[in-house]
């Protein structure tokens, strides 16, 4: 069947550079425009790297974002893994670092994607998740399994959301706290929000979280340490070699003074 993708490239897109990709489901809603607005603000201020944004429209949301993993849910997973991701990688200069943003059923569907062996995503922004399909045992095992690749996993809970969604976010948080998996960066944040406005209140934080190591100077003792090791780390995590920024140099110059 014919499908529609919304693809937004950075203003100064250069095919010779590598770009992380942010995918968002429910792209037929205001969520896509919200993500685009936040990304524009963050990239213009160099808080995150320049990225490619891909919006995925749903034709039948309940069937496609099926949290009970019926044939329709698996078909949409295959569409993501075997068609959309390869299409973006073939037609654009991508770094191999993919994030997916989902809300409500999209958030719960995301952690099912995370459990798949051929999952192409390294960052998850799950807004108002649930465990209608209780895969907490599988998530616990996933958290405890050593993995050479770094994963960024953000969950937002709304204080005024339904109790089952709040409990689901809290349960996943408790499973992570006992895993002690250094390769998984996880946070669950609570907001004074209901099911709908939780998107606007938490998506910004989620995007920042999955790029938390970009321009993070905390672990470099000197400018020499930073200039030698920071590009290596960013390339390993996000798949591109960053430019050294004037403001970063100013930070170390100030320490020298």
């Amino acid at each position: 069947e014919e499908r529609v993708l919304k693809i937004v490239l950075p203003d100064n897109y250069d095919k010779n550079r590598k770009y992380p990709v942010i995918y968002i489901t429910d792209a037929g809603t205001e969520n896509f425009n919200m993500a685009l607005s936040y990304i524009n603000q963050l990239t213009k201020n160099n808080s995150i790297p320049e990225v490619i944004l891909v919006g995925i429209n749903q034709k039948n949301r309940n069937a496609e974002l099926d949290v009970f993993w019926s044939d329709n849910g698996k078909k949409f997973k295959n569409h993501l893994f075997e068609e959309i991701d390869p299409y973006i990688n073939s037609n654009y200069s991508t770094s191999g670092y993919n994030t997916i943003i989902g809300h409500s059923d999209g958030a719960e569907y995301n952690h099912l994607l995370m459990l798949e062996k051929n999952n192409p995503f390294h960052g998850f922004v799950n807004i108002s998740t649930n465990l209608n399909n209780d895969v907490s045992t599988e998530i616990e095992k996933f958290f405890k399994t050593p993995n050479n690749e770094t994963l960024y996993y953000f969950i937002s809970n709304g204080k005024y959301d339904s109790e089952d969604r709040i409990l689901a976010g809290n349960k996943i948080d408790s499973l992570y706290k006992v895993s002690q998996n250094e390769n998984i960066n996880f946070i669950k944040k609570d907001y004074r929000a209901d099911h709908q406005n939780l998107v606007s209140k938490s998506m910004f934080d989620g995007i920042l979280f999955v790029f938390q190591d970009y321009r993070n100077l905390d672990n470099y003792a000197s400018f020499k340490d930073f200039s030698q090791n920071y590009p290596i780390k960013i390339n390993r995590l996000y798949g591109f070699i960053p430019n050294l920024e004037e403001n970063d140099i100013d930070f170390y110059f100030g320490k020298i003074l």
Side-chain angles (χ1 to χ4, degrees):
E1 62 183 7
E2 188 174 272
R3 307 286 302 199
V4 175
L5 292 178
K6 297 178 179 179
I7 303 171
V8 181
L9 302 178
D11 290 341
N12 299 313
Y13 176 77
D14 181 350
K15 63 181 181 181
N16 295 314
R17 295 175 58 190
K18 299 291 185 181
Y19 298 91
V21 183
I22 295 179
Y23 294 85
I24 182 168
T25 48
D26 289 324
T29 69
E30 184 58 29
N31 293 2
F32 177 82
N33 292 331
M34 196 179 302
L36 179 58
S37 176
Y38 288 157
I39 288 167
N40 283 338
Q41 180 180 348
L42 289 167
T43 54
K44 285 178 181 177
N45 289 281
N46 201 23
S47 297
I48 66 170
E50 291 185 315
V51 301
I52 297 170
L53 175 64
V54 179
I56 305 166
N57 289 333
Q58 261 59 67
K59 283 193 171 184
N60 184 332
R61 186 179 191 275
N62 290 335
E64 292 171 352
L65 301 179
D66 174 44
V67 300
F68 294 102
W69 220 226
S70 69
D71 286 344
N72 284 328
K74 291 177 181 178
K75 283 180 181 178
F76 188 68
K77 180 265 292 185
N78 292 337
H79 179 51
L80 282 171
F81 288 12
E82 299 171 13
E83 295 179 330
I84 295 179
D85 181 56
Y87 174 82
I88 297 299
N89 292 334
S90 297
N91 288 277
Y92 303 98
S93 183
T94 60
S95 72
Y97 178 79
N98 299 324
T99 290
I100 186 165
I101 301 173
H103 170 236
S104 192
D105 283 357
E108 184 172 0
Y109 189 80
N110 276 359
H111 65 235
L112 299 177
L113 298 179
M114 180 185 72
L115 296 172
E116 292 293 298
K117 290 183 179 179
N118 58 340
N119 157 48
F121 301 106
H122 303 88
F124 291 88
V125 178
N126 296 347
I127 302 169
S128 184
T129 192
N130 213 330
L131 287 169
N132 289 301
N133 179 3
D134 190 356
V135 291
S136 54
T137 300
E138 290 84 349
I139 292 175
E140 181 179 19
K141 181 179 178 181
F142 178 84
F143 280 159
K144 291 181 177 179
T145 302
N147 194 324
N148 292 328
E149 294 187 343
T150 301
L151 183 81
Y152 300 86
Y153 189 7
F154 175 92
I155 287 179
S156 62
N157 270 10
K159 181 179 178 181
Y160 314 132
D161 205 346
S162 61
E163 185 177 2
D164 56 334
R165 295 185 177 279
I166 296 171
L167 291 175
N170 291 343
K171 185 169 186 178
I172 296 172
D173 182 38
S174 67
L175 294 176
Y176 174 76
K177 286 177 178 176
V178 298
S179 72
Q180 298 181 345
N181 192 331
E182 294 181 354
N183 286 329
I184 298 177
N185 294 301
F186 175 90
I187 192 171
K188 188 268 299 182
K189 294 190 70 173
D190 299 308
Y191 297 82
R192 292 189 181 93
D194 57 39
H195 187 65
Q196 293 302 325
N197 69 12
L198 181 60
V199 181
S200 61
K201 291 190 174 186
S202 65
M203 187 191 294
F204 188 88
D205 291 342
I207 295 171
L208 275 174
F209 182 80
V210 298
F211 289 106
Q212 63 180 274
D213 288 302
Y214 179 71
R215 295 194 66 214
N216 182 350
L217 313 183
D218 289 353
N219 297 321
Y220 306 98
S222 65
F223 179 71
K224 181 179 180 182
D225 182 18
F226 169 73
S227 62
Q228 290 179 344
N229 295 311
Y230 172 75
I232 295 172
K233 182 172 183 177
I234 295 303
N235 192 37
R236 177 176 61 82
L237 292 174
Y238 300 123
F240 70 95
I241 297 176
N243 296 322
L244 296 182
E245 302 294 333
E246 182 178 346
N247 287 337
D248 300 334
I249 297 171
D250 281 350
F251 170 73
Y252 287 103
F253 184 63
K255 290 180 70 173
I256 293 169
L257 289 178

